[in-house]
Amino acid sequence: MATGRGRILQQHWQRLQALRCPLRGGAGRASAGQAVGRAGASGFRRGPRVKCAADGTVALRQNPRGEQRCGNSSSNCPVFLDRMPSEILLKIFSYLDAVSLLCTGCVNRRLYHLASDKKSGLGWAIILKEKSGKEYVMEHVDLSINDTSVTVLWYGKDWPCLTSLSTLDLCGVTPIFMDWYKTPTKNRPRWHSLITKYNLSHLTESTMIGCDRLVRIFCLSPGLLVGLWKKEEELAFVMANLHFHHLVERSSLGSATIPYEPPPHSPFLYDSPEYGLHGYQLHVDLHGGGVFFLCGKFHDLFTKKGNIENGYVKLIVINLKNNREHLPLIGKVGLSWRTNVIDGCIKSCSIMDVTLLDEFGKPFWCFSSPVGMRSAAPSDSPNFLGQTYCVDYVDAEGRVHVELVWMEETEEYFIVSLVLYLSIGKINHWFGTKY
């Protein structure tokens, strides 16, 4: 059995490697509108995302913009798949298995929608572990696929008692025999790939990011949202937010106890004294329950050595003092939740997806996480006619700080400041520098 599993994982890995060159080109994107700022162009849109079927299999829905041609493909690739007619691409996709289809769908929006007639055998499960050692395995009930992340949801009536639980394991699940994804069944053996392990004792006031009259929601890093019923203090739902970066590998190439580890990174050796401080590209989304409040792109971001302090490099994306860069959030901000009996929306909470690329276009820092908006003291300057709020995110690789102002007249939030703080350790490791 061990040999068979190794062979299956090796096949997955070979498929992933084979896909990378011909599918690397064309990462173009479409947006509903344009707003030009100092750092680049930012697009905004909102609307329903792609859902999955009730049986847990991914059901992709066609989008009219899926047929739009994307940007120029890389000249290093011998075949420009993104320029091929849809009919040819659909024929090629008919030979791919579930894992390869999902990997293809992560390339860009057009390829994602062209895979809409297929169903994926890749899914996600959570394993709730009691202090006594007893385990409860729950497969995802629903999911939505966003521009750069997937949101996976669990809910039901048969949750174990919260006080008896110690940890929660988030795993990717794939069929042991790949042709079984066409007729999935819970009784057939599947491979579990551990993504992250969470300690449920961390569900404390410090990790609570919002509430409504029915539930309180807690954020456990990385990217897990846990909803508790207010009345019983028991589990209501669990929501995992997974960034596309290395998602297929993390969901299929690990084991049940050991997460997938990406290949070691080789630093880029360069003799420029400012290396690692310029040429960044940022894509940031704010969304909740299928509605996008912000979808922005920022190009040619840079900083200087003088902005290095307290172990971080300060990268200003939206300048507080330049009102031409300030951006509105579209619609009413809120994070939608649902269970099998009731649903709701928690105001001032959302999902933040961040993709930061280095000057070579390689993913430098990527995450998808729930965030909460909290009231903040007004900044020193300038003076805004409205209540000030802030949104913060932090992990081992960096921090994000967003300042917003509520405009009563127009009833909308404006982002007046967006700053990234990149870890010096991360930059030195990535670029081979010694800041």
Side-chain angles (χ1 to χ4, degrees):
M1 177 60 74
T3 303
R5 288 179 176 176
R7 180 177 55 82
I8 292 298
L9 293 180
Q10 186 178 23
Q11 291 174 354
H12 288 344
W13 179 252
Q14 290 172 347
R15 294 189 187 100
L16 294 172
Q17 295 296 328
L19 282 167
R20 288 184 175 177
C21 178
L23 296 180
R24 188 178 300 161
R29 303 171 52 81
S31 60
Q34 295 290 330
V36 179
R38 171 190 61 82
S42 301
F44 308 93
R45 69 180 165 279
R46 54 180 173 173
R49 313 311 297 166
V50 179
K51 298 289 185 179
C52 83
D55 62 359
T57 57
V58 178
L60 312 183
R61 180 166 49 201
Q62 184 66 34
N63 187 311
R65 288 178 297 180
E67 295 298 327
Q68 181 168 341
R69 293 202 177 272
C70 302
N72 292 332
S73 299
S74 171
S75 59
N76 294 327
C77 292
V79 179
F80 300 153
L81 285 187
D82 214 30
R83 296 181 181 179
M84 286 186 176
S86 298
E87 294 78 9
I88 296 179
L89 288 174
L90 288 172
K91 183 63 176 178
I92 294 174
F93 291 171
S94 68
Y95 294 100
L96 299 181
D97 58 37
V99 175
S100 300
L101 276 172
L102 183 60
C103 187
T104 303
C106 292
V107 174
N108 61 33
R109 181 171 298 181
R110 181 177 181 238
L111 296 184
Y112 171 78
H113 287 294
L114 285 176
S116 61
D117 292 335
K118 299 294 180 182
K119 293 183 181 289
S120 172
L122 174 61
W124 291 271
I126 55 174
I127 303 175
L128 298 166
K129 297 184 178 181
E130 289 188 343
K131 300 169 186 176
S132 64
K134 185 177 180 180
E135 296 183 353
Y136 301 85
V137 180
M138 302 181 65
E139 299 197 8
H140 77 265
V141 178
D142 199 0
L143 62 80
S144 60
I145 298 181
N146 313 301
D147 283 356
T148 57
S149 70
V150 57
T151 301
V152 191
L153 188 62
W154 291 264
Y155 55 79
K157 298 179 180 179
D158 301 323
W159 292 103
C161 180
L162 179 60
T163 57
S164 68
L165 299 176
S166 59
T167 60
L168 182 153
D169 290 359
L170 173 62
C171 300
V173 180
T174 51
I176 293 294
F177 302 100
M178 294 307 300
D179 58 334
W180 281 2
Y181 79 91
K182 300 175 183 178
T183 56
T185 174
K186 293 184 178 181
N187 296 325
R188 289 180 172 175
R190 280 166 294 178
W191 179 262
H192 283 71
S193 173
L194 178 65
I195 298 176
T196 313
K197 182 184 291 287
Y198 300 90
N199 190 334
L200 295 180
S201 66
H202 294 163
L203 298 177
T204 62
E205 295 296 328
S206 63
T207 57
M208 190 180 81
I209 62 171
C211 65
D212 59 15
R213 63 185 182 89
L214 295 175
V215 300
R216 297 193 300 162
I217 58 174
F218 300 79
C219 178
L220 299 182
S221 181
L224 191 74
L225 188 72
V226 179
L228 301 184
W229 295 113
K230 272 187 173 181
K231 187 175 181 180
E232 295 90 2
E233 283 295 318
E234 292 292 346
L235 289 169
F237 61 87
V238 173
M239 181 186 298
N241 301 278
L242 304 170
H243 196 280
F244 281 157
H245 184 50
H246 287 315
L247 175 58
V248 175
E249 293 95 329
R250 290 185 293 147
S251 300
S252 60
L253 298 181
S255 72
T257 57
I258 302 176
Y260 163 79
E261 285 290 338
H265 172 73
S266 299
F268 303 102
L269 299 179
Y270 194 68
D271 57 0
S272 170
E274 300 295 322
Y275 197 56
L277 303 180
H278 59 83
Y280 291 96
Q281 302 175 50
L282 172 66
H283 183 102
V284 56
D285 291 340
L286 285 176
H287 59 92
V291 178
F292 274 63
F293 317 117
L294 170 71
C295 181
K297 275 187 175 182
F298 305 88
H299 304 278
D300 300 323
L301 301 175
F302 67 93
T303 187
K304 298 180 180 179
K305 284 187 176 181
N307 286 331
I308 298 178
E309 58 182 23
N310 300 322
Y312 289 96
V313 169
K314 185 178 181 181
L315 201 63
I316 299 177
V317 182
I318 296 177
N319 196 321
L320 178 68
K321 299 181 180 180
N322 187 351
N323 57 13
R324 291 179 298 177
E325 298 180 7
H326 300 168
L327 302 175
L329 297 186
I330 307 301
K332 296 183 178 180
V333 177
L335 180 60
S336 297
W337 60 270
R338 67 179 177 275
T339 67
N340 55 315
V341 293
I342 198 170
D343 55 18
C345 183
I346 299 178
K347 297 179 180 179
S348 302
C349 292
S350 61
I351 306 298
M352 176 185 288
D353 297 341
V354 164
T355 306
L356 184 66
L357 308 179
D358 64 18
E359 63 177 295
F360 300 104
K362 296 184 178 296
F364 177 80
W365 184 30
C366 302
F367 68 83
S368 176
S369 176
V371 292
M373 188 185 302
R374 56 184 176 85
S375 180
S379 301
D380 295 335
S381 63
N383 293 321
F384 296 108
L385 299 177
Q387 176 64 44
T388 304
Y389 297 87
C390 68
V391 173
D392 289 287
Y393 171 84
V394 60
D395 64 22
E397 298 187 357
R399 297 191 287 127
V400 179
H401 179 70
V402 184
E403 293 187 22
L404 307 98
V405 172
W406 172 253
M407 308 300 292
E408 192 68 39
E409 294 183 356
T410 58
E411 295 187 342
E412 61 185 341
Y413 290 99
F414 267 80
I415 296 180
V416 297
S417 175
L418 172 56
V419 182
L420 305 184
Y421 296 87
L422 307 181
S423 166
I424 288 297
K426 167 72 172 181
I427 290 179
N428 288 339
H429 170 73
W430 190 263
F431 295 105
T433 51
K434 297 181 179 180
Y435 294 126

